[in-house]
Every structure is written in structure tokens, then in C-alpha cells.
Amino acid sequence: MSKRVKRTSLEVLYSILRACNENSSKTRVMYSAGINLIELAKYLEALEKEGYIKSVQQGKSTLYSLTDKGKDAMLRLEKYVKALKEYEEAKRNVLDLVGLLKNKTRT
């Protein structure tokens, strides 16, 4: 059974912006970000209001895309997410080492 990792709101935000970078429908953004429609609606409303994304009506669908401000934010968040993953990996490695040392000192 895989352990589900809790993501920070900034990681969720990064997922949303990354999906919007591809002129995506609400459904596609929702699945890419891994959140429910109610949460997504809150994020999309706030992001559009602050000028990070724009919505364009295309036939019956609404597509979401990034503004220049949104592209800049996505790149900044990408650096954050990468650094966070590196930190978590380093933390796991140290904890593994500590566990190994504890086991060695018990024998």
C-alpha cells in the first residue's frame, strides 16, 4: 500500500499553474493538480482575480492559461518544489543513517 504524501498549498498551486501553462480545461487542471472541483474553483478564482491566469471561452469550454505574471510565479514555485523535494530526501537519508547507527550501538 502506498503512503499518500500530504502536499503543501504551494505544491498544489504549482500543479495548477503548470496545468494552466498548457491552455487546459477545468477538468484537466483538476486531475493534474489532484484536487477536487470545489477546491479548484477557489484557486482558479483567486488566481484569475490576482492576474496569474486568464480564462478564455472556446466553444462550450473554458480554457485556462497563464499570464506573464503566472509564468513567473510558476518558475519560482518550480524552484521551491525542487528544493523541498531535495530537503525531504536529505532528511530521509539522515534519519536512515541515525536508525542504522542506533541499531549498530545496540549489538
Side-chain angles (χ1 to χ4, degrees):
M1 184 180 231
S2 69
K3 184 178 175 183
R4 185 172 174 140
V5 177
K6 182 167 173 53
R7 298 180 298 161
T8 66
S9 59
L10 291 175
E11 289 172 297
V12 172
L13 185 57
Y14 171 65
S15 297
I16 292 169
L17 291 176
R18 197 176 67 222
C20 289
N21 195 34
E22 302 170 0
N23 296 325
S24 300
S25 67
K26 190 181 284 188
T27 302
R28 185 171 179 188
V29 175
M30 180 182 72
Y31 284 114
S32 293
I35 60 175
N36 65 50
L37 197 54
I38 294 168
E39 286 298 310
L40 177 63
K42 293 175 189 176
Y43 277 101
L44 290 177
E45 181 181 343
L47 287 167
E48 191 164 18
K49 181 179 178 184
E50 295 299 321
Y52 291 97
I53 63 171
K54 60 183 174 184
S55 60
V56 177
Q57 199 67 31
Q58 193 172 63
K60 293 181 181 180
S61 299
T62 302
L63 299 180
Y64 294 89
S65 61
L66 295 180
T67 62
D68 288 340
K69 185 177 178 180
K71 289 176 185 176
D72 181 59
M74 184 186 72
L75 293 174
R76 291 171 188 246
L77 285 167
E78 185 173 38
K79 290 177 185 177
Y80 164 79
V81 168
K82 182 179 178 186
L84 185 62
K85 286 180 181 179
E86 289 173 358
Y87 165 76
E88 289 297 331
E89 183 179 338
K91 182 179 172 183
R92 278 191 303 278
N93 290 338
V94 168
L95 291 175
D96 289 346
L97 180 59
V98 168
L100 179 67
L101 291 174
K102 282 183 179 179
N103 289 336
K104 289 286 186 190
T105 59
R106 289 184 189 157
T107 56

